[in-house]
Amino acid sequence: MTTIKRTGSSDLVWLILKFTVAILIALIAVFPIWWMINVVFAHPGEPVSLNPRLWPTSLSAGVSKIQAIFAETGYLRAYGISIAYSVLTIAGVLTVASLAAFEFSLFDFPGRRLLFGVVLLALMVPTAVTIIPTYLITSRLGWINTMQGLVVPGVASAFGLFMLVQFMRAIPKDMIEAARLDGASHLQIYWFVALPLCRNALVTLAILTFIQAWGNYMWPLIISTQTDMYTVGQVVGLFNSPLSHNTVDTVMTANLLAAIPPLLFFLIFQRKIVEGVAMSGTKG
Amino acid sequence: MSFRRHLPHYLMIAPFMILFAAFFLYPIASGLFYSFHDWNGVQTPVFVGLGNYEKIIHSRDFSRAMINLATYIAITVPLGIIVALCLALLVDSFTGRWSNFFRNAFFMPVVLPAFLSATIWRWIYAPNFGLLNTILGFFGAESVNFLNDTGTMLYALIAVDVWVSAGFNMVIILAGLKNIPTELYEAARLDGASKWQQTVFITIPMLGPVLFFVFTYGFISAMQVFDKPWLLTGSSFASYGGRRNALLFPVMDMMGRAFGGVKFGEAAAYGFILTLAIVSITALMFAVRSWRER
C-alpha cells in the first residue's frame, strides 16, 4: 500500500503506458505463432470475414487435419528422420565435445594450446566457406541420403567444445587429484567426477543443439535429396513452395507440427535456453 | 616414454579432433584447391587459376546479390539492435514475474526454426487473403503482393528478420544489463540524473562491449543469410532469388551455382570471397574499436 501512496499520478500513467507497450510488442512477437494454431484449429471452409482466426474455434477440425497430414503425406516419416537426426546429433556432440573438453580444461599435454587454438579459430570461420567442400567430402564418402551424412559432419562442434571447456575449468583440480589417489582411472574420473559436475552445461548444450539441428534447413537441403530422407524442414519448405497446391490449412498444420517440439522444449526449459543464449553471447 | 604418459589425453580428444580435421580443416583446404579449378563434380578438375574468382566478381548475379546484401545489412543490423535494446530496457524495467513473462514472450520467435518463421510469414504476407492484407484492407488499402513486388520484398524480409533476431539480441543485452553495478545508478540518482540521463550516460556506455558483440555477431550472420529469403521466395535450385532477383543473396547465389549449375569450383571460390569480406570487415570493426578505446 505504501508504494502505491507514494507513486504520483505521472508514475501511474508511465506504468500503464509501459504495460500497454510491452503487451503490444508481446502480441507482435507471439501472434504469428498464435495465428498458426488458430488456422489449424478452425473449420477449413469458414471465410476469414466470418472467422478471422483470432482464437481456436474447433478442436475436431484441427485433429482431423493433423491425422490427414500424417496419413496422406510423407510427413510422419520426415518427422522420424528429423527426430533421429536431432537425437543422434545431440548424442554425438555431447560425447565427443565432453571428452575433449575434459582434457583441454583439466590437463596439460604437449600441443594442448595449439590444438585448442585451432578449434577456437573455427568459431570465427563462417559456414559459407565450409558448406560446399564439406558436402563434397560427405558425397565422396557415399553418405548422400544417409543418416550418417546428416549427422556426422556436424558432430565436432567448436561451439560445444568451447562452452564445455568454460564450465569444466571451474572444476577444482584437487577433486581430480583426490579421485586419482583413490585409484580411479582416467575414464572413471571423466565419467564419475567431471560429467556429473557439469550436468547443467550438458543439458543446456543438448537443448541448444536440439534447436539448432531441428531448425537446420541448409544442410539437409543438400544432403537429403530423396523424398524418403527428407527432414521436417524440407517437407515444410515443399508444402510452402509456389508449385504446391496445398491450402493454407494443410500448410499451417505442417508448420504447427514442426513448431511443436522446439516450442515444447522452450516451455519446459525456458530458463536454461535463455541462459544458454545469454552465456554464448557474453562469454564469446 | 613421455608420449605413453600422455596417450590417454590424446585418446580422449581423438574423436573430436579427427572429426574436426575431416569435416572442418580438410574441407577448407580442399575448398581452396577447388576454388582454383573448374569442376563439375564428376570429371577431373581443370586448373583455371583465379578464373573462378574473376567470373564471379564480373557476374550480374554477384553484383545484384551484393547490392541486396548491403542494403539488407545496413538496415537490418542496426534496426535489430535498436529494437533489441529497447526491448531489453523495457523488460528490465519490470520486476519478477512480469519481467520473465515479457522476456519469454519476446524470445519466443527465436526458438522457432528459421524455416518456420519464413513459412509462417509467407502466409501473413500473402496477397488478398493474407493476414497483413486483411488488416490493410480493413483500413481501405489496396492489396499488396509483399513477396512479389520488388519495392517491398527486401523490407518484408527485414521485418521477419527483426522479428526473430530482436529476441535473441535482447537476451544477450539483458545479461549485460545485469552486470552493470547498481552503485553507478545510485550515484547518478544522488547527482539528480533523470531516468533518461541514466540510460544515456550509464546504461548504454556500460553496455558497449555487449552491443559490440551483438553487432559483430549480427553482421556475420546477416552476411550469410539464406533460409529466410530462400523460403520467402519459394526458391529451389532451379529458380531462386524471387522476382527480378530482388531477394538474391550471396549464399543463395553460391548454393545455386553449386547445386543448380553444378559448378563446384565456382561455388568454393564464392565461399572464399564471402569469407574474405566477412573477415576483413570484422577485423576492421575490431580495429576501430580498439583504436577508439585508446
Side-chain angles (χ1 to χ4, degrees):
Chain A
M1 279 316 269
T2 47
T3 50
I4 291 176
K5 257 180 210 159
R6 261 192 281 139
T7 48
S9 62
S10 72
D11 280 353
L12 191 68
V13 171
W14 179 240
L15 192 72
I16 292 172
L17 199 75
K18 214 171 69 173
F19 261 96
T20 319
V21 171
I23 289 169
L24 271 176
I25 299 172
L27 275 178
I28 297 173
V30 177
F31 193 79
I33 301 167
W34 177 242
W35 181 70
M36 170 175 75
I37 298 171
N38 302 338
V39 171
V40 175
F41 291 98
H43 280 296
E46 283 174 341
V48 184
S49 51
L50 289 179
N51 176 6
R53 270 70 167 173
L54 292 180
W55 44 80
T57 44
S58 165
L59 181 67
S60 58
V63 172
S64 68
K65 281 181 211 170
I66 293 172
Q67 281 171 342
I69 211 166
F70 276 145
E72 288 164 22
T73 64
Y75 201 86
L76 195 60
R77 191 187 166 84
Y79 222 74
I81 301 267
S82 269
I83 290 175
Y85 168 42
S86 310
V87 169
L88 290 172
T89 307
I90 293 172
V93 167
L94 288 193
T95 315
V96 165
S98 67
L99 279 169
F102 175 64
E103 297 299 334
F104 281 125
S105 55
L106 295 167
F107 300 95
D108 204 8
F109 48 90
R112 182 186 72 115
R113 280 167 158 274
L114 177 75
L115 291 174
F116 192 56
V118 172
V119 177
L120 282 192
L121 270 182
L123 283 174
M124 285 165 232
V125 175
T127 357
V129 74
T130 51
I131 187 154
I132 303 278
T134 309
Y135 165 83
L136 291 172
I137 181 177
T138 311
S139 137
R140 200 171 328 143
L141 288 166
W143 285 0
I144 301 300
N145 286 311
T146 64
M147 190 48 81
Q148 63 266 36
L150 279 176
V151 175
V152 177
V155 161
S157 151
F159 168 75
L161 177 69
F162 180 66
M163 187 178 152
L164 292 183
V165 163
Q166 293 287 337
F167 265 85
M168 288 201 189
R169 269 192 188 140
I171 297 176
K173 291 252 166 59
D174 301 352
M175 281 181 89
I176 308 291
E177 236 10 79
R180 170 143 307 155
L181 289 178
D182 285 346
S185 73
H186 205 60
L187 217 60
Q188 280 172 325
I189 300 175
Y190 160 77
W191 187 256
F192 293 109
V193 180
L195 279 195
L197 281 173
C198 64
R199 230 181 68 198
N200 266 326
L202 290 172
V203 173
T204 308
L205 179 60
I207 298 165
L208 293 181
T209 309
F210 172 79
I211 291 180
Q212 195 263 330
W214 187 267
N216 197 339
Y217 179 73
M218 204 169 166
W219 185 245
L221 181 69
I222 54 181
I223 293 298
S224 309
T225 53
Q226 283 164 9
T227 35
D228 59 348
M229 273 306 287
Y230 277 177
T231 60
V232 165
Q234 284 172 285
V235 173
V236 166
L238 277 185
F239 271 92
N240 280 279
S241 83
L243 298 174
S244 88
H245 296 291
N246 291 301
T247 59
V248 64
D249 293 279
T250 320
V251 178
M252 281 301 157
T253 313
N255 287 352
L256 179 65
L257 290 171
I260 285 174
L263 285 181
L264 217 57
F265 260 69
F266 180 59
L267 292 179
I268 301 170
F269 298 108
Q270 30 165 302
R271 259 203 34 224
K272 283 235 156 54
I273 294 177
V274 169
E275 276 166 15
V277 168
M279 199 191 53
S280 68
T282 44
K283 278 188 182 161
Chain B
M1 166 62 202
S2 145
F3 182 75
R4 275 196 61 176
R5 190 159 51 87
H6 292 300
L7 187 63
H9 301 307
Y10 293 119
L11 283 179
M12 298 278 274
I13 62 167
F16 185 93
M17 292 318 290
I18 291 170
L19 286 172
F20 184 74
F23 294 105
F24 188 84
L25 296 180
Y26 173 76
I28 291 181
S30 76
L32 194 63
F33 171 84
Y34 290 130
S35 79
F36 298 119
H37 292 75
D38 188 10
W39 191 47
N40 61 6
V42 184
Q43 281 147 345
T44 35
V46 180
F47 183 76
V48 290
L50 289 172
N52 287 328
Y53 290 87
E54 276 170 35
K55 215 192 260 170
I56 291 165
I57 289 171
H58 291 133
S59 73
R60 262 176 55 203
D61 280 358
F62 178 79
S63 37
R64 185 72 252 163
M66 280 299 171
I67 292 167
N68 289 343
L69 185 69
T71 330
Y72 166 74
I73 285 182
I75 302 173
T76 203
V77 177
L79 188 65
I81 291 174
I82 292 167
V83 172
L85 181 63
C86 294
L87 292 186
L89 292 173
L90 185 63
V91 168
D92 198 52
S93 73
F94 289 99
T95 46
R97 208 188 307 157
W98 283 111
S99 164
N100 271 335
F101 171 78
F102 286 122
R103 185 196 63 189
N104 287 348
F106 300 166
F107 189 74
M108 192 88 79
V110 183
V111 196
L112 280 193
F115 64 78
L116 267 186
S117 53
T119 48
I120 297 174
W121 278 85
R122 242 178 88 91
W123 287 96
I124 294 179
Y125 284 137
N128 303 319
F129 59 87
L131 193 67
L132 202 55
N133 273 313
T134 312
I135 296 171
L136 287 176
F138 189 74
F139 293 105
E142 292 263 307
S143 172
V144 183
N145 196 343
F146 291 99
L147 293 173
N148 206 27
D149 181 332
T150 47
T152 55
M153 284 163 87
L154 193 65
Y155 303 101
L157 168 68
I158 290 170
V160 183
D161 207 55
V162 171
W163 184 69
V164 175
S165 70
F168 179 84
N169 292 335
M170 170 198 72
V171 161
I172 296 170
I173 296 174
L174 270 175
L177 283 175
K178 296 271 180 300
N179 289 332
I180 301 177
T182 41
E183 296 91 62
L184 287 178
Y185 292 107
E186 273 156 33
R189 231 183 339 250
L190 287 177
D191 287 344
S194 68
K195 270 261 150 63
W196 172 249
Q197 285 171 322
Q198 289 176 32
T199 307
V200 173
F201 294 109
I202 300 177
T203 313
I204 292 174
M206 288 299 283
L207 279 178
V210 174
L211 291 178
F212 181 76
F213 169 81
V214 169
F215 188 80
T216 350
Y217 189 86
F219 168 78
I220 294 174
S221 30
M223 286 287 284
Q224 302 177 72
V225 62
F226 176 79
D227 300 9
K228 281 170 227 148
W230 185 266
L231 285 163
L232 281 175
T233 52
S235 292
S236 66
F237 287 123
S239 139
Y240 49 90
R243 182 142 177 264
R244 289 162 75 194
N245 279 342
L247 279 184
L248 179 70
F249 288 95
V251 174
M252 292 167 73
D253 194 10
M254 176 185 87
M255 298 288 276
R257 284 173 204 246
F259 301 101
V262 216
K263 293 173 189 148
F264 287 109
E266 228 175 282
Y270 213 120
F272 278 97
I273 293 176
L274 208 53
T275 303
L276 202 68
I278 293 174
V279 170
S280 48
I281 299 174
T282 314
L284 193 71
M285 293 197 292
F286 271 96
V288 168
R289 177 168 170 246
S290 60
W291 174 74
R292 277 189 48 192
E293 272 171 5
R294 257 196 293 136

